Amino acid sequence: MIRTAFLAAALMTTTALPANAVAQTAPAQEQTAQLNLSASGEVRITPDQAQVSAGVVTEARTAAEALRANSQRMSRVFSALEDAGVQARDIQTSQLNVSPVYSQPSSRDGGTREITGYSARNTVTALVRGMDSVGPAIDALFEAGANSLNGVTFSSSEADAAETEARRRAVAELYETRDLYAEVGGFTIERLLNFSESGGYAPQPVMFSRAMMMEDSATPVSGGELVVSITVNGSWEIEG
């Protein structure tokens, strides 16, 4: 009886092994053949407006004096922008702060720094519509008392239309390339698996130096061209 039970147990163990082996060596699921492509569409447009960021920096013995002097000069800056044809809705305060001014550390006093005064900074951002008005607007800012120019960014009021056209060109190029691959490769397109977009419109920043505004005539500006580029990506299931 003992030998019979042992033999039965051994046979059960032996017959279980092939089942485990079959489960481990089952073929993996067949992967779907895919075609992955990218294409870009580009449109070039001429800027017709610019965002100008400038302001006033003043220093005084106390914070109140620095802010008071700054406010007086900024009032003239706002008036100058409006006189230059910039609409009130296109003028916005983008930064206003007052901070202490410290002395240079000295070895005689242990390297400590003392507050010697205060600095007030007020920055305005203005949207100037019309490229012919950009130079005169910058001149008006500095003639009115501005002493800080952070930069000029060119843009276009037609950016949305340019983006739409760039998308049309990108998609047309993508599908034309897809059909070419299918024809030359001898396979068929079954269905769309994935579609995405990247890129778009970005205004063009241009930095100015104070030396550029020392001429008698209006500050010269050139917007050049803005490039609107859209990239589309597509994946399709294919059958060979």
Side-chain angles (χ1 to χ4, degrees), residues 135-218:
I138 294 175
D139 289 342
L141 282 169
F142 283 86
E143 290 171 0
N147 56 8
S148 172
L149 180 63
N150 299 325
V152 177
T153 302
F154 295 112
S155 59
S156 172
S157 59
E158 303 296 327
D160 291 342
E163 277 194 330
T164 298
E165 178 59 25
R167 287 188 179 95
R168 294 182 185 277
R169 297 181 183 183
V171 173
E173 177 69 21
L174 182 70
Y175 277 80
E176 182 179 347
T177 304
R178 181 205 66 175
D179 294 341
L180 175 62
Y181 272 103
E183 177 185 351
V184 177
F187 53 80
T188 58
I189 305 296
E190 294 298 319
R191 63 191 179 96
L192 179 65
L193 300 175
N194 185 47
F195 192 89
S196 62
E197 173 191 302
S198 60
Y201 163 72
Q204 176 182 333
V206 177
M207 298 304 296
F208 284 81
S209 65
R210 187 69 182 90
M212 296 178 65
M213 290 165 280
M214 299 301 292
E215 302 179 6
D216 293 335
S217 59

Side-chain angles (χ1 to χ4, degrees), residues 163 167 197-202 228-233:
E163 277 194 330
R167 287 188 179 95
E197 173 191 302
S198 60
Y201 163 72
V228 181
S229 180
I230 297 289
T231 298
V232 290
N233 313 284

Side-chain angles (χ1 to χ4, degrees), residues 21 33 55 81 100 113 186 197:
L81 283 172
R113 303 174 64 190
E197 173 191 302

